[in-house]
Amino acid sequence: MSSTKVVQSELPWWKCTTVYQIYPRSFSDQTGDGIGDLPGIIDRLDYVKWLGIETIWLSPFFESPQADFGYDISDHFGVAPEYGSLEDCRRLIDEIHARGMKVVLDMVLNHTSDQHPWFLESRSARNNPYRDFYIWRDGRKPYGAAPPNNWRSMLGGSGWHHDAQTDQWYWASFLPFQPDLNYRNLQVKRAMLDMVRHWLREGADGLRLDIFNAIYKDAAFADNPRSLRAIPSEDNPGGFFQRALHTQNHPDTFAFARELRAVVDEFEDPSRFIVGEVFGSPDLLREYCGPSGDGLNLVFLFKSLRTPFRARAFRDLVDEFESAFPEPLHPTYVFGNHDRPRQMERLSNDLARARLLATFQMTVRGVPFIYYGDELGLSHHEMPRDAARDPLARRFRFIPKFMLPTLRRRGILTNRDECRSPMPWHGGAHAGFAPPDAPKTWLPLHPQSAIMNVAAQRQDPASVLTSYRRMLQLRGRSLALSAGGLEVLDPPANPNKVFAYRRVYEDADHQETAEIFLNFSKREMPIDLRDLPRSAEARLYSNLHDAPIAAKGRHVLRPWEGAVVLWD
Ligand code: GLC
């Protein structure tokens, strides 16, 4: 066994925190229009605090035509009226802080809505002063009838869109109504950095950066190389038969990550952080963090979204993330978000596996990001494609139905409505998401709402919610779990069934060790605890028990049980 990496100095708060993602449209509707809103979120903050969450990430609530439900912003400084007012936003930030929690806002820097005043100006004439705020090019010669080059959007198909009025093409990395800003124009960069400063001044403790990997494109507009890969994957961002060499993960974007970090670091006390939505292998994504950790503080590592739920696969995942993100870098663990299949899909809809996943996520070294509703074990919710609200569903309707489960197992969701159902709070009208007299909710309720809701699971010591809470609270109390180094252990039982690791924290005043044993099987697995240091008074916390027990001799892990043995 190699010597355990020990963390000796205090870590910044954002490395030790736990993050809960709220999709405002789907969390809680106070005004009764069937759409979630900011006052609704305020009403539910006590729940989030009770759960043991330390940081809340809010998906965008800024002014927007809502063609992509807030990821198409038309005014970065205003709140969409359906979500509330600026005053509600300030109150929300204050109420989060008053409960001792932090708040992360979602910054869509890459593009705006096509209804943003800048784009309306930009598209109006070739010589408009805002023309160069976006990326405009002539079509390919001789007739100009073909797009400027072969670049595909992140969704497949050309990302160039012809504008008849000025007979040029504009670039959009995502959907056509989300034109990319031109960061090579310094006015754009300055304006967006000032917008970032604005929200940090308003009290944001962290920022999540939407498709940050697409910010800079090749300045010479060279064609992307061809590839044989049809489906984008973590190792090959791009897909659709080309490598996204000139459209994603550009060296200038790595440099911009450092510029942005410098802006965020202008704000201290408390310190702030940025987490990037970026796609690529862990080794590539490390580049965003900068050569000396002076870039993005964190990046989402989405590989976890398609890791099979097996002991060895999780061990390999941790090995890979640990070697790509050694201290002072810090990994993240994500199993769902508002774009991805519900995590239960990969857990065979088994609640016991969900309780084990919570144990893993809250005990591993890395920031856990928990998507609302996953703490209830909500299953994948299939919805008819023709009634979809998500613009992607329309775009992908040609994909045959039989392929959808395979794509979902790879972490790809073609109708994102399916992971955005209203949060089920209780078994009554509208599952408590909206007042009883509200009209229909913006998306149908999850079919499990009557039983899989907060009220029912709060009472149940065996529920998924109770396991999440146990593990979040344990992590919150334990320096080893929240701030310790990590070492993978040779498991005391079959390595195909049990995954084990150790976390150690040490500073001048404290020392704490945790050993974690996760039983990834439907069989009982005995573990031997006799080798623990004699002097230690070790306690064993299980995801299945309320109170700790003395950790001595042999412990038999029940099927899918996760146990944490802690000592000082
Ligand atoms: C990100 C968001 C997604 C959005 C897209 C365009 O991937 O998570 O919801 O549609 O960017 O902004």
Side-chain angles (χ1 to χ4, degrees):
M1 213 183 284
S2 61
S3 70
T4 306
K5 282 174 257 161
V6 172
V7 169
Q8 285 169 318
S9 55
E10 239 180 65
L11 295 185
W13 68 269
W14 50 265
K15 281 191 185 175
C16 310
T17 197
T18 48
V19 186
Y20 184 76
Q21 183 191 353
I22 291 181
Y23 192 68
R25 211 173 177 81
S26 299
F27 199 59
S28 182
D29 166 23
Q30 196 204 59
T31 56
D33 58 359
I35 297 174
D37 45 47
L38 302 188
I41 298 174
I42 297 174
D43 287 347
R44 303 296 185 179
L45 289 179
D46 287 337
Y47 163 76
V48 183
K49 179 73 186 171
W50 168 85
L51 188 55
I53 293 290
E54 293 164 9
T55 298
I56 295 178
W57 152 27
L58 301 161
S59 280
F61 48 76
F62 310 108
E63 276 197 33
S64 158
Q66 308 292 349
D68 189 16
F69 300 111
Y71 285 95
D72 50 326
I73 297 176
S74 52
D75 176 3
H76 294 87
F77 298 92
V79 172
E82 61 212 295
Y83 296 142
S85 62
L86 259 184
E87 206 195 319
D88 293 325
C89 168
R90 295 202 172 116
R91 199 157 56 86
L92 173 57
I93 295 175
D94 287 348
E95 296 278 348
I96 291 174
H97 287 156
R99 286 166 179 77
M101 294 187 285
K102 308 273 192 189
V103 58
V104 170
L105 299 185
D106 211 320
M107 295 285 111
V108 186
L109 303 182
N110 179 69
H111 49 267
T112 66
S113 157
D114 62 357
Q115 300 306 307
H116 191 290
W118 290 348
F119 191 71
L120 295 178
E121 289 284 340
S122 182
R123 84 181 315 169
S124 66
R126 286 192 183 208
N127 61 0
N128 185 282
Y130 287 91
R131 184 67 166 182
D132 189 48
F133 270 43
Y134 295 85
I135 300 169
W136 289 98
R137 306 286 292 168
D138 287 331
R140 235 173 308 186
K141 302 269 179 290
Y143 306 113
N149 62 20
N150 77 345
W151 293 357
R152 294 196 200 292
S153 79
M154 291 169 78
L155 305 169
S158 175
W160 293 104
H161 305 283
H162 186 248
D163 181 69
Q165 196 180 326
T166 55
D167 190 23
Q168 274 194 318
W169 301 68
Y170 68 87
W171 170 254
S173 294
F174 211 71
L175 287 158
F177 55 80
Q178 292 163 314
D180 280 32
L181 286 164
N182 175 17
Y183 277 79
R184 298 193 187 277
N185 177 320
L186 292 185
Q187 265 179 290
V188 168
K189 188 158 82 176
R190 250 179 255 132
M192 294 308 275
L193 291 178
D194 279 344
M195 189 273 292
V196 163
R197 286 190 183 92
H198 167 81
W199 285 109
L200 293 169
R201 270 196 301 273
E202 288 284 337
D205 301 288
L207 305 173
R208 178 260 185 192
L209 310 170
D210 190 67
I211 53 170
F212 189 75
N213 58 314
I215 297 255
Y216 279 88
K217 282 59 77 169
D218 179 39
F221 295 91
D223 273 351
N224 271 334
R226 283 179 223 282
S227 112
L228 291 175
R229 305 281 280 276
I231 299 177
S233 74
E234 302 313 331
D235 312 317
N236 178 18
F240 311 108
F241 304 104
Q242 69 175 220
R243 266 178 61 217
L245 181 68
H246 298 306
T247 39
Q248 291 185 46
N249 302 322
H250 192 280
D252 293 345
T253 310
F254 299 144
F256 182 56
R258 300 210 296 279
E259 252 181 275
L260 189 58
R261 170 68 175 271
V263 168
V264 170
D265 283 351
E266 290 166 12
F267 294 78
E268 295 167 336
D269 197 25
S271 61
R272 321 292 172 100
F273 80 101
I274 35 183
V275 53
E277 187 199 29
V278 284
F279 306 94
S281 66
D283 275 335
L284 173 72
L285 299 187
R286 184 181 47 232
E287 301 271 328
Y288 283 105
C289 300
S292 54
D294 54 349
L296 305 187
N297 304 73
L298 297 171
V299 290
F300 290 132
L301 299 170
F302 290 129
K303 196 161 184 181
S304 46
L305 283 162
R306 58 185 176 87
T307 303
F309 199 65
R310 290 199 291 268
R312 276 210 190 261
F314 267 62
R315 181 186 175 138
D316 291 347
L317 183 76
V318 170
D319 276 341
E320 187 177 359
F321 285 9
E322 281 293 304
S323 65
F325 287 80
E327 194 43 55
L329 302 180
H330 210 72
T332 56
Y333 284 87
V334 184
F335 295 100
N337 67 28
H338 63 292
D339 298 326
R340 304 294 191 142
R342 284 259 171 215
Q343 65 184 28
M344 286 305 275
E345 179 89 339
R346 281 180 318 281
L347 303 177
S348 315
N349 283 320
D350 176 12
L351 300 177
R353 286 179 171 91
R355 293 191 293 249
L356 184 65
L357 182 65
T359 315
F360 168 76
Q361 202 184 8
M362 260 49 88
T363 57
V364 70
R365 187 182 83 95
V367 178
F369 284 82
I370 301 159
Y371 182 52
Y372 89 94
D374 279 352
E375 78 275 26
L376 299 173
L378 287 185
S379 64
H380 173 69
H381 176 189
E382 184 118 11
M383 293 193 198
R385 289 200 274 184
D386 23 327
R389 307 288 306 267
D390 176 19
L392 287 199
R394 249 166 284 138
R395 192 166 174 114
F396 289 131
R397 65 186 177 279
F398 66 88
I399 298 180
K401 216 169 162 197
F402 77 88
M403 279 183 67
L404 301 181
T406 313
L407 290 175
R408 288 204 295 267
R409 273 193 297 280
R410 291 200 196 184
I412 298 172
L413 193 58
T414 53
N415 175 5
R416 296 173 301 174
D417 290 357
E418 296 180 336
C419 67
R420 298 174 177 176
S421 329
M423 176 77 170
W425 294 98
H426 58 61
H430 299 310
F433 163 74
D437 55 352
K440 270 209 326 224
T441 53
W442 84 281
L443 283 178
L445 292 182
H446 193 285
Q448 294 176 314
S449 297
I451 36 169
M452 300 287 285
N453 56 59
V454 172
Q457 293 202 25
R458 265 179 109 132
Q459 315 303 328
D460 177 359
S463 69
V464 176
L465 180 63
T466 303
S467 277
Y468 267 86
R469 180 162 187 259
R470 264 183 207 137
M471 288 302 137
L472 281 161
Q473 308 257 333
L474 183 62
R475 183 187 168 105
R477 289 197 305 270
S478 160
L479 284 165
L481 294 180
S482 58
L486 182 143
E487 180 195 9
V488 171
L489 298 176
D490 292 330
N494 184 342
N496 291 320
K497 310 256 182 286
V498 176
F499 174 32
Y501 44 96
R502 176 186 295 150
R503 309 281 314 274
V504 177
Y505 179 88
E506 195 176 284
D507 64 20
D509 308 317
H510 304 93
Q511 177 171 351
E512 194 187 37
T513 305
E515 285 188 2
I516 296 99
F517 304 94
L518 307 175
N519 180 6
F520 279 78
S521 84
K522 50 180 190 283
R523 300 232 153 72
E524 289 189 342
M525 286 286 144
I527 51 170
D528 194 345
L529 303 173
R530 275 174 307 192
D531 282 347
L532 294 183
R534 287 277 139 206
S535 61
E537 212 195 277
R539 292 139 292 151
L540 181 144
Y541 296 81
S542 158
N543 60 342
L544 307 181
H545 304 297
D546 245 342
I549 55 174
K552 288 201 200 99
R554 239 165 67 107
H555 177 78
V556 179
L557 287 174
R558 284 191 269 157
W560 311 108
E561 181 176 352
V564 182
V565 178
L566 264 181
W567 67 90
D568 298 327

